[in-house]
């Protein structure tokens, strides 16, 4: 495991030889020779085979000359980093390997959720910040990257203090906007929505930065560069484009927002790179739109046909007639369930296509990613998770959450060399506070 040691110390506990290569401020690197430890440790830095799944050969594109120093303009100009270009067409045959494994159990996660729920009631919600931290620590610890677990170093105190600092600001903001909305009803409500969305963009960016800086692997932490305010301004502009295009520009907007975030994500001194073109999303997006229109028309036709079969006249007074209410309730329930299942079907295939597109264009150094997630797999998981949650009155949520996490993480593969021997600690200061603005706005960005 990588440790902070004296720079002159050349040998770790396992007896492996270390080399700094650069001035790391006392942070030891990883072993020069990526060989398994002979004795005293089960860890090894050569990426292990996480499962017994067979690896399939694939075509790894040959890199072409690309941009250098991705740190420029990201607020990290002091760190000069050369990132490998995105791959173009080539013919190098490699094997894809699974980098992640999720070993959480629904029963253990449910116990944490139940503990947080009960103690939050007795403490009037104060314990929820410590409960959230405990849940993250468990999930991070059960997430294995290249054979070794993540570590979450955030504290409940950081989240609670951050919430206390942000709460007065949100209360004053809500009061002022509410007063303005009463004076200018339509304009005030519109302004309230715009400012709320703007604050949500700032809060989500800050929350992501906090969680990355509290996430460690082998002692190396993540980070998020860039300005939350600048991200919020650009995100509002992209949202306006999506609205003006009646939603047709949504794939382009999604690609732009992902670039703004993912190209500012760092792990140690190495950035992630994402260059996903929106045009690849449009086929699945248009299929989603067309499918949604056909689904709506089909459900409407089903409702009309059901009314005729049951002898309910199509008139404006049919809702007021007591004798027709039972039939209308049955027809309404059937149409609602049909529409809901249709949405689950359509969104599952679009979701799988989106995840595969994202992974295909995401890189970390020389590592390239892919996802084997399919629409059928996503649909099956969602359809089986719905009764698991509904028929248990929410108790089965923990098991449903673990199943969905395993579906996503176990479908990931990587190709290329991680080159961990050159990975150094991040030197950018981490935020002292948590994600209080997000909590004060009462928005859950999930874990």
């Amino acid at each position: 495991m990588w440790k902070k040691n004296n720079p002159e110390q050349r040998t770790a506990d396992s007896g492996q030889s270390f080399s700094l290569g650069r001035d790391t401020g006392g942070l030891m690197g990883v072993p020069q020779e990526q060989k398994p430890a002979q004795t005293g440790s089960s860890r090894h830095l050569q990426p292990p085979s996480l499962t017994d799944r067979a690896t399939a050969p694939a075509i790894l594109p040959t890199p072409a000359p690309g941009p250098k120093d991705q740190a420029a303009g990201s607020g990290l100009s002091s760190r000069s980093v050369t990132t490998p270009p995105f791959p173009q067409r080539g013919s190098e045959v490699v094997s894809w390997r699974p980098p992640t494994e999720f070993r959480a159990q629904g029963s253990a996660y449910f116990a944490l959720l139940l503990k947080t729920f009960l103690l939050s009631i007795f403490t009037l919600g104060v314990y929820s910040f410590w409960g959230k931290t405990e849940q993250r620590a468990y999930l991070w610890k059960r997430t294995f990257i290249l054979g070794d677990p993540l570590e979450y170093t955030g504290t409940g105190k950081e989240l609670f203090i951050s919430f206390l600092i942000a709460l007065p600001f949100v209360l004053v903001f809500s009061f002022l906007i509410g007063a303005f909305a009463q004076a200018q009803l339509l304009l005030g409500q519109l302004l309230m929505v715009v400012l709320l969305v703007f604050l949500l963009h700032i809060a989500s960016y800050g929350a992501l930065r906090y969680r990355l800086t509290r996430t460690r692997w082998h002692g190396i932490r993540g980070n998020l560069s860039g300005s939350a305010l600048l991200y919020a301004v650009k995100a509002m502009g992209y949202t306006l484009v999506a609205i003006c295009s009646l939603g047709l520009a949504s794939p382009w907007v999604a690609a732009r927002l992902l670039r703004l975030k993912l190209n500012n994500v760092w792990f140690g001194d190495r950035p992630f790179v994402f260059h996903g073109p929106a045009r690849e999303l449009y086929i699945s997006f248009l299929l989603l739109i067309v499918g949604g229109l056909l689904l709506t028309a089909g459900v409407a036709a089903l409702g009309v046909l059901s009314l005729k079969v049951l002898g309910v006249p199509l008139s404006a007074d049919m809702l007021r007639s007591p004798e027709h209410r039972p039939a209308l309730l049955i027809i309404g329930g059937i149409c609602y369930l049909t529409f809901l299942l249709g949405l689950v079907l359509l969104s599952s295939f679009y979701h799988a296509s989106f995840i595969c597109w994202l992974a295909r264009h995401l890189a970390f150094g020389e590592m390239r990613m892919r996802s084997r997630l399919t629409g059928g797999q996503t649909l099956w998981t969602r359809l089986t998770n719905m009764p698991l949650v509904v028929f248990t009155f929410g108790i089965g949520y923990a098991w449903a959450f673990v199943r969905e996490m395993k579906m996503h993480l176990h479908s990931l593969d990587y190709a290329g060399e991680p080159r961990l021997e050159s990975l150094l600690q991040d030197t950018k200061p981490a935020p002292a506070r948590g994600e209080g603005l997000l909590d004060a706005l009462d928005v859950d960005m999930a874990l």
Side-chain angles (χ1 to χ4, degrees):
M1 185 171 183
W2 307 340
K3 302 178 181 179
K4 278 191 175 182
N5 292 325
N6 190 306
E8 296 180 359
Q9 182 181 354
R10 301 299 181 183
T11 306
D13 295 338
S14 62
Q16 292 173 311
S17 176
F18 281 70
S19 175
L20 294 178
R22 294 185 264 180
D23 181 12
T24 63
L27 178 72
M28 297 302 292
V30 300
Q32 274 187 310
E33 297 181 3
Q34 297 185 2
K35 297 179 180 180
Q38 298 298 325
T39 58
S41 175
S42 62
R43 289 190 176 185
H44 47 84
L45 291 173
Q46 183 67 24
S49 176
L50 302 183
T51 65
D52 292 329
R53 289 177 287 175
T55 56
I59 302 299
L60 180 64
T62 303
K68 295 184 178 181
D69 198 7
Q70 293 288 338
S74 64
L76 297 176
S77 56
S78 60
R79 292 190 287 183
S80 180
V81 179
T82 300
T83 59
F86 259 80
Q88 306 297 327
R89 294 182 178 178
S91 58
E92 184 182 354
V93 178
V94 298
S95 294
W96 292 94
R97 294 162 285 180
T100 58
E101 188 176 8
F102 190 60
R103 302 180 187 175
Q105 296 180 349
S107 56
Y109 187 47
F110 172 73
L112 291 176
L113 292 176
L114 182 61
K115 175 184 175 182
T116 301
F117 174 73
L118 295 176
L119 291 180
S120 296
I121 292 177
F122 291 123
T123 60
L124 301 179
V126 173
Y127 182 78
S128 62
F129 301 98
W130 279 264
K132 184 184 296 184
T133 299
E134 194 173 3
Q135 294 167 34
R136 290 177 182 174
Y138 170 77
L139 294 174
W140 265 240
K141 188 178 180 180
R142 297 302 188 276
T143 303
F144 288 76
I145 308 295
L146 298 179
D148 289 302
L150 296 175
E151 178 187 5
Y152 182 74
T153 61
T155 65
K157 181 180 178 181
E158 291 175 341
L159 296 178
F160 182 57
I161 293 178
S162 178
F163 170 76
L164 293 179
I165 293 175
L167 183 60
F169 169 77
V170 173
L171 291 177
V172 172
F173 164 79
S174 301
F175 174 78
L176 294 177
I177 293 298
F180 183 77
Q182 289 182 351
Q184 302 289 333
L185 185 59
L186 182 59
L187 181 61
Q189 290 179 349
L190 179 61
L191 180 62
M192 181 171 61
V193 172
V194 171
L195 291 179
L196 180 61
V197 174
F198 184 74
L199 287 178
L200 285 176
H201 283 306
I202 295 178
S204 64
Y205 201 88
L208 180 58
R209 193 199 312 272
Y210 172 78
R211 298 176 195 190
L212 285 171
T213 56
R214 267 57 176 185
T215 299
R216 291 177 180 263
W217 184 77
H218 275 282
I220 302 295
R221 74 182 183 197
N223 212 328
L224 181 69
S225 61
S227 167
L229 180 61
L230 181 60
Y231 170 80
V233 171
K234 292 183 177 181
M236 292 299 292
Y238 291 140
T239 303
L240 181 61
V241 172
I243 295 174
C244 294
S245 67
L246 301 179
L248 294 179
S250 295
W252 181 83
V253 170
R256 288 289 176 173
L257 291 178
L258 279 174
R259 287 188 187 185
L260 288 177
K261 279 188 177 180
L262 295 179
N263 285 331
N264 280 329
V265 173
W266 295 70
F267 184 71
D269 65 338
R270 191 178 301 170
F272 281 82
V273 182
F274 176 76
H275 288 162
R279 64 179 179 273
E280 295 182 7
L281 277 179
Y282 266 98
I283 294 179
S284 55
F285 177 74
L286 292 177
L287 289 176
L288 175 67
I289 298 298
V290 173
L293 294 175
L294 293 176
L295 174 64
T296 303
V299 170
L302 175 63
V304 172
L305 180 61
S306 300
L307 290 175
K308 291 184 178 181
V309 171
L310 296 178
V312 179
L314 290 173
S315 64
D317 297 331
M318 66 179 181
L319 297 176
R320 302 175 184 176
S321 177
E323 60 178 332
H324 296 315
R325 286 178 183 174
L328 291 176
L329 288 176
I330 294 175
I331 294 173
I334 293 175
C335 290
Y336 174 76
L337 289 177
T338 303
F339 188 74
L340 180 62
L341 291 176
L343 284 182
V344 172
L345 172 65
L346 294 173
S347 63
S348 295
F349 282 88
Y350 179 74
H351 175 79
S353 175
F354 184 88
I355 294 298
C356 292
W357 166 79
L358 191 155
R360 186 166 59 250
H361 296 285
L362 183 65
F364 179 68
E366 296 184 9
M367 295 177 63
R368 299 296 181 263
M369 307 296 296
R370 78 169 182 181
S371 174
R372 293 173 283 100
L373 188 64
T374 64
Q377 184 182 5
T378 306
L379 178 63
W380 171 252
T381 302
R382 289 182 174 180
L383 289 179
T384 51
N385 278 347
M386 287 173 62
L388 181 61
V389 176
V390 173
F391 295 147
T392 61
F393 301 99
I395 294 177
Y397 167 77
W399 285 267
F401 176 83
V402 169
R403 291 185 70 224
E404 186 153 353
M405 287 293 295
K406 287 183 177 180
M407 176 190 73
H408 283 93
L409 293 180
H410 291 178
S411 67
L412 287 176
D413 291 326
Y414 82 97
E417 291 299 325
R419 300 199 178 278
L420 303 178
E421 71 278 1
S422 61
L423 190 63
L424 303 178
Q425 181 63 288
D426 172 71
T427 58
K428 190 176 185 295
R433 294 186 295 272
E435 44 206 57
L437 181 57
L438 201 66
D439 291 322
L441 292 172
D442 195 24
V443 175
D444 185 11
M445 203 177 75
L447 293 174

